[in-house]
Amino acid sequence: MRTYKRLQMFVHAEKLIDDKTNLRDGDVSVFLRLGSDSKSNYYEYEVPLSLTEPGNYSTYNVQDQEAVWPQSNMFDFPLSLFTDLKLERNAKKRMDNSTVTFQTRYSSYDPDKNQNKVTIVGNPSLSDVRTMMIGVRNNSNAAKDIVVWVNEMRLTDFDQSGGWAAKANVNLGLSDIATLNIAGHVETVGFGGIDQSLTERRLDDYYQYNIATMVELGRFLPEKVKLKAPLFYSITEQRTSPKYNPLDQDILLKDALDNVGSKAERDSISDASIEKSTVESFSLSGVSFDIRSKNPMPYDPANFSISYSYNRQSKQDPTTEFENTYDYRGSFTYSYTPFVKPFVPLKGLKSKSKHLKFLKEWEFNYLPNNIAFNTNMSRYYYEQQIRDVSGSGGMALPTSVSKSFLWDRQFSLTWNLTKSINLSLQTMTNAHIEEPVGVVNKQLFPDEYEAWKDSVWHSIKNLGTPLAFQQNFDFSWKIPINKIPVFSWITPDVSFNSSYNWNRGTKLEDGSTLGNTINNSRNINGNVKFNLETIYNSVPFLKKALSRTTRTSSSAR
């Protein structure tokens, strides 16, 4: 109904032929109620009836039409009468020592038709009309007999005020240093597509913008610094300002704001009416100085890299005072890959024996092939505060909180001791940073925030509370016995694997646990391959027979 401006209905009233109640004009009135129900939440418009005298009237005569359906009986009023009356009633209700309540009838008269009465009970809304009732009311002190006709109830005068919309998008590129994207989108109240009806057009002002940039910070420093620091930042904000007060959805928001008595109330309504969401992201990924020694050293800057990312999502709407999600992630990585020549202890052996050749070629790597360490911290925090929309002014609803603070540490070692002996070790620890329960908000609860900060730093200094630990060790050896000519037809290898897993048990409310869980395993594998063709080739008679067989097979093909 908010799309229309006026409501109309024809009403006819007449006496009975043998009227015995002495019915006169104004003794009886017709009223129309509309609202969510007909008893506790409704608007009412009442018209005292003028009687049509008995007689013969022509359908096609304008004067006869007006006599049967008199203008004074007609319902023809702007729907703004109802909303203006609600604003007036609410203003008086807020006054000190006021006797006006939602449960009592509050009435006024139509300024254009002083005999017609407008009434409100409860908190009805033209956006949620579920019941319409037409009734007849006796205004006299005696019983009255009357005939009443109603006809052609209708809504008229569309609200045809239009809106506008615009979109803009700008992309900028600065060589290979930075990129910038800016986009905006606006739609105002009343905007809609050509194929949309009036009821489908926008009932709020919508604003949205997005800014995203990527910058290679290393380009701002001399090239010899060799800094790699890709920075990414983006922010997206959407804001919706409704045409109607969301807490009273047939009152224009501007009218609701003008009707309140104090700035605090005005700010409260404005804040509760706006829907706003913001997503902000920031990241520095793989920041490192690509500086290496000619012979790689453990302290080379290129061995170190750090990453950091931050994501924030915030939301507010008429039912949610605030809803915030924070996600922080930071990591530090160290990876060292030495480059050294293997140590050959017997390369000076002067013997030319084939049986000692494998000893002369034996190499030993006295440094690991790779040492790597990674530590990663991630903190997730979510908070939500629901508004008290009941208007009771009671105790505020509790804030919902969900959070976690994790610390993962990984270590790996790869070491090829010789060409045939390989070792590898991987470990991983998952830990939890202890933090007090409850809200973490520096602005609202500064004392609780300081206690939270102290608890977190104390837990970090103790490396957190371990939740899980995993360790894996691998060993493989390809035994080089085939380097000795007499055993050249044998290729044996051995492998060994062991794993260990530990998981913390569930902690009960009384502080006890169900016990930790430990799993370990060990696998040993051995394989030997025999190449008989190598044996045949070492015996002249068998080698000649094998060669002859091979030629015969080739000729047959």
Side-chain angles (χ1 to χ4, degrees):
M1 294 183 66
R2 297 178 303 181
T3 311
Y4 300 88
K5 295 182 179 180
R6 303 184 70 84
L7 185 147
Q8 295 178 343
M9 183 174 66
F10 293 103
V11 180
H12 164 81
E14 63 181 65
K15 301 177 183 179
L16 297 180
I17 295 176
D18 54 346
D19 178 34
K20 299 179 182 179
T21 60
N22 192 25
L23 184 65
R24 297 180 181 180
D25 290 346
D27 285 349
V28 176
S29 59
V30 168
F31 63 86
L32 170 66
R33 284 184 185 176
L34 46 90
S36 57
D37 59 71
S38 60
K39 292 185 178 181
S40 303
N41 295 278
Y42 62 84
Y43 293 115
E44 181 180 289
Y45 191 88
E46 181 179 352
V47 178
L49 295 177
S50 298
L51 303 176
T52 300
E53 296 297 328
N56 295 321
Y57 299 94
S58 172
T59 304
Y60 305 104
N61 185 284
V62 175
Q63 292 181 349
D64 288 352
Q65 292 174 359
E66 292 180 353
V68 175
W69 305 99
Q71 190 68 28
S72 61
N73 287 358
M74 184 176 181
F75 283 72
D76 184 10
F77 62 92
L79 294 174
S80 60
L81 279 178
F82 290 148
T83 55
D84 291 344
L85 184 64
K86 179 190 283 189
L87 290 171
E88 179 184 324
R89 190 273 310 268
N90 292 347
K92 290 189 176 181
K93 180 177 176 293
R94 289 192 295 269
M95 294 174 62
D96 295 336
N97 302 320
S98 173
T99 59
V100 178
T101 66
F102 282 135
Q103 289 73 36
T104 56
R105 289 171 60 90
Y106 184 84
S107 301
S108 182
Y109 287 90
D110 187 342
D112 297 327
K113 300 176 180 179
N114 295 330
Q115 74 277 12
N116 297 349
K117 184 187 292 186
V118 187
T119 301
I120 181 174
V121 175
N123 195 33
S125 174
L126 295 178
S127 67
D128 185 29
V129 176
R130 305 180 186 180
T131 300
M132 300 184 73
M133 183 179 77
I134 299 174
V136 178
R137 178 174 291 127
N138 186 355
N139 298 324
S140 67
N141 296 325
K144 300 292 181 179
D145 295 332
I146 191 171
V147 176
V148 178
W149 298 350
V150 295
N151 193 24
E152 294 187 21
M153 181 193 294
R154 60 185 179 270
L155 296 169
T156 64
D157 294 356
F158 285 113
D159 182 1
Q160 300 187 45
S161 56
W164 59 274
K167 283 186 177 181
N169 190 23
V170 177
N171 289 292
L172 300 175
L174 183 61
S175 183
D176 57 348
I177 298 176
T179 60
L180 175 65
N181 174 265
I182 302 174
H185 182 194
V186 178
E187 293 183 10
T188 63
V189 172
F191 176 78
I194 297 177
D195 58 339
Q196 290 180 311
S197 66
L198 288 174
T199 57
E200 296 175 322
R201 293 185 178 178
R202 182 169 283 281
L203 292 176
D204 50 39
D205 291 327
Y206 173 80
Y207 305 93
Q208 184 265 341
Y209 73 88
N210 172 265
I211 300 174
T213 183
M214 183 175 291
V215 182
E216 177 52 66
L217 299 179
R219 296 291 186 180
F220 295 94
L221 299 176
E223 187 175 353
K224 63 181 180 180
V225 176
K226 296 185 178 180
L227 172 65
K228 294 181 178 179
L231 179 147
F232 173 79
Y233 176 79
S234 72
I235 183 170
T236 300
E237 182 173 315
Q238 297 183 11
R239 183 187 181 94
T240 302
S241 180
K243 179 180 180 180
Y244 296 96
N245 181 0
L247 304 179
D248 205 352
Q249 296 190 7
D250 60 349
I251 303 296
L252 294 174
L253 180 58
K254 64 180 183 64
D255 292 339
L257 295 175
D258 293 339
N259 191 57
V260 296
S262 66
K263 184 178 183 302
E265 290 179 290
R266 190 178 299 108
D267 292 342
S268 176
I269 293 176
S270 178
D271 183 65
S273 301
I274 294 174
E275 293 185 27
K276 181 180 178 181
S277 65
T278 304
V279 179
E280 184 180 17
S281 299
F282 171 85
S283 69
L284 279 168
S285 180
V287 178
S288 64
F289 293 90
D290 193 20
I291 300 176
R292 304 175 187 271
S293 303
K294 186 174 182 181
N295 183 22
M297 302 301 292
Y299 49 78
D300 286 344
N303 298 337
F304 303 88
S305 68
I306 59 172
S307 297
Y308 173 77
S309 66
Y310 161 75
N311 181 271
R312 176 180 66 89
Q313 300 180 34
S314 63
K315 175 185 175 184
Q316 72 172 67
D317 57 41
T319 60
T320 305
E321 186 172 343
F322 60 81
E323 182 178 3
N324 299 319
T325 303
Y326 301 91
D327 191 351
Y328 304 87
R329 296 178 182 271
S331 66
F332 170 80
T333 301
Y334 174 80
S335 180
Y336 171 52
T337 302
F339 179 73
V340 294
K341 293 182 179 180
F343 175 60
V344 186
L346 300 177
K347 66 179 180 180
L349 193 65
K350 296 181 179 181
S351 175
K352 296 183 180 180
S353 172
K354 294 181 179 180
H355 296 280
L356 299 178
K357 182 179 179 181
F358 82 98
L359 291 176
K360 294 176 62 177
E361 296 177 350
W362 182 62
E363 298 178 347
F364 174 72
N365 293 316
Y366 54 89
L367 287 179
N369 294 75
N370 178 263
I371 300 174
F373 172 75
N374 174 265
T375 181
N376 177 72
M377 281 188 176
S378 61
R379 177 176 176 247
Y380 170 83
Y381 179 77
Y382 170 86
E383 61 181 1
Q384 182 187 45
Q385 177 67 61
I386 301 297
R387 295 184 191 274
D388 179 11
V389 296
S390 65
S392 61
M395 184 179 297
L397 299 173
T399 303
S400 301
V401 174
S402 175
K403 55 185 175 180
S404 65
F405 203 156
L406 303 177
W407 188 2
D408 299 334
R409 300 183 290 272
Q410 300 175 6
F411 172 79
S412 68
L413 173 68
T414 303
W415 196 341
N416 298 333
L417 289 173
T418 67
K419 291 182 178 180
S420 57
I421 299 177
N422 300 321
L423 303 173
S424 67
L425 173 68
Q426 297 89 30
T427 66
M428 182 172 68
T429 302
N430 305 112
H432 176 252
I433 304 300
E434 299 289 344
E435 50 184 335
V437 298
V439 179
V440 181
N441 193 310
K442 186 176 182 179
Q443 286 73 30
L444 297 179
F445 310 104
D447 295 337
E448 288 81 354
Y449 176 79
E450 290 299 324
W452 172 85
K453 187 169 65 173
D454 291 342
S455 177
V456 167
W457 277 115
H458 181 268
S459 184
I460 290 176
K461 291 175 183 178
N462 290 280
L463 301 181
T465 302
L467 299 177
F469 175 77
Q470 301 175 20
Q471 179 176 287
N472 192 72
F473 176 75
D474 289 291
F475 167 84
S476 65
W477 183 23
K478 293 183 179 180
I479 303 174
I481 193 174
N482 58 351
K483 299 294 183 178
I484 301 175
V486 69
F487 297 118
S488 61
W489 55 282
I490 302 175
T491 307
D493 64 79
V494 177
S495 65
F496 171 82
N497 170 266
S498 68
S499 64
Y500 173 82
N501 295 279
W502 174 88
N503 292 279
R504 179 177 292 276
T506 303
K507 190 174 182 179
L508 303 179
E509 293 183 357
D510 59 1
S512 62
T513 65
L514 297 179
N516 304 327
T517 303
I518 295 177
N519 296 313
N520 55 36
S521 63
R522 180 179 63 182
N523 295 307
I524 301 175
N525 295 310
N527 296 292
V528 179
K529 295 181 181 179
F530 299 96
N531 190 338
L532 298 180
E533 186 176 348
T534 303
I535 299 178
Y536 299 154
N537 287 331
S538 62
V539 180
F541 171 75
L542 294 176
K543 182 177 180 181
K544 183 181 293 185
L546 182 62
S547 177
R548 187 165 53 248
T549 302
T550 303
R551 287 198 302 271
T552 302
S553 300
S554 300
S555 299
R557 288 196 296 270

